[in-house]
Amino acid sequence: MEERRRIDRVGYQAKSVIVVCDSGESIFVETCNASPLGIAFTMPAGSPDLKGKDIIIVADTMIMYADVTRQEEQEDGGFKVAISAKKFTPEVLQYLFEHIVEK
């Protein structure tokens, strides 16, 4: 059966941080919009190419594990990035719990 409902993104601006899962690198970003299935955010100029990588994003009251599906350069040299949510794996949850306890 084809899904007829559509979940649209809504405006959601917040200072956020992403962690690139394979390298552990942290990048400070700003979210633009969000839905239960994904988030769009902007990154500063000089940020690495994340397309196809797994990330964890922490934005105010949300934590999402996701794939980077699109990264487009903007006129100011920064990037607009779109991500698609993934289900948390036991390994990602363990990583989160270990790093939350450290702080």
Side-chain angles (χ1 to χ4, degrees):
M1 173 182 274
E2 183 177 330
E3 177 64 51
R4 293 183 187 179
R5 293 175 292 168
R6 184 173 158 196
I7 300 175
D8 289 328
R9 293 183 182 201
V10 295
Y12 181 75
Q13 293 187 331
K15 300 285 185 197
S16 307
V17 64
I18 62 170
V19 176
V20 182
C21 293
D22 63 353
S23 69
E25 179 180 11
S26 296
I27 304 169
F28 292 96
V29 301
E30 187 164 330
T31 61
C32 304
N33 59 55
S35 83
L37 303 177
I39 295 175
F41 58 86
T42 57
M43 293 191 313
S47 296
D49 182 9
L50 300 178
K51 189 166 182 203
K53 295 195 177 188
D54 290 349
I55 65 164
I56 298 167
I57 184 167
V58 179
D60 273 345
T61 60
M62 295 188 301
I63 299 174
M64 186 179 286
Y65 176 45
D67 285 321
V68 176
T69 57
R70 189 174 67 236
Q71 181 170 333
E72 298 173 355
E73 189 167 5
Q74 302 296 295
E75 290 178 8
D76 65 357
F79 297 93
K80 188 165 189 178
V81 180
I83 63 176
S84 180
K86 296 172 66 167
K87 289 185 178 185
F88 283 102
T89 63
E91 295 80 17
V92 171
L93 288 172
Q94 185 65 40
Y95 172 87
L96 288 170
F97 288 126
E98 287 174 0
H99 287 78
I100 289 169
V101 172
E102 287 179 6
K103 303 292 177 201

